[in-house]
Each structure stands twice: as C-alpha cells, then as structure tokens.
Amino acid sequence: MMLKLIKNKTQLKQVLNRIDELWGAGRNTEKGDELDALMLLVEKYEEEHYPIPPTDPIEGIRFLMEQQR
C-alpha cells in the first residue's frame, strides 16, 4: 500500500475510485486499513479545498423553524 497526499482533482478521483474498490473491506485487514487511510486523506483534502464555513446561529434556527412547518 503506497499512500501519498492528494494534491489535485485528478489524484482525488483516483483515490475515490480506489475507495470504491475497497468498500466493504473487513476491519483490521490490509484492505480495511488501506480504506481507512485513504478516507482520511480525502477528508483532509476536502477540508482544505472545500471548506464549509460555520453557520450563523440565527440562520440555523430560522431554517429549522421553516422545516417544521
């Protein structure tokens, strides 16, 4: 298992394809460990390149109130 940081969208797509191949791998197996590591790399990449700004608390409450109508 060769792991590298994800630096661009092409590498991200390759890693996501590999995750699809490994999906369902058993825990504490070589493939399961690779899956866990790749998911951490994707999470890190997405946090850096697609940050989700914090929600305004008032807007969050308004949204929840509208959803309950």
Side-chain angles (χ1 to χ4, degrees):
M1 160 175 55
M2 178 66 171
L3 297 175
K4 299 187 302 184
L5 291 177
I6 301 169
K7 297 181 181 176
N8 56 52
K9 288 183 181 181
T10 301
Q11 290 176 345
L12 176 63
K13 184 173 178 157
Q14 292 170 344
V15 170
L16 291 174
N17 287 336
R18 180 64 179 154
I19 286 173
D20 283 342
E21 293 171 8
L22 295 171
W23 198 254
R27 287 198 154 284
N28 299 318
T29 64
E30 188 174 327
K31 288 183 178 182
D33 290 346
E34 182 181 357
L35 176 60
D36 289 342
L38 292 175
M39 290 175 64
L40 288 171
L41 290 171
V42 169
E43 181 180 2
K44 178 71 173 161
Y45 179 86
E46 289 180 344
E47 285 175 357
E48 290 179 4
H49 292 86
Y50 305 105
I52 299 173
T55 304
D56 175 48
I58 302 300
E59 289 301 317
I61 292 169
R62 284 185 183 141
F63 175 78
L64 290 174
M65 289 173 62
E66 288 176 12
Q67 294 299 308
Q68 293 182 1
R69 288 186 183 174

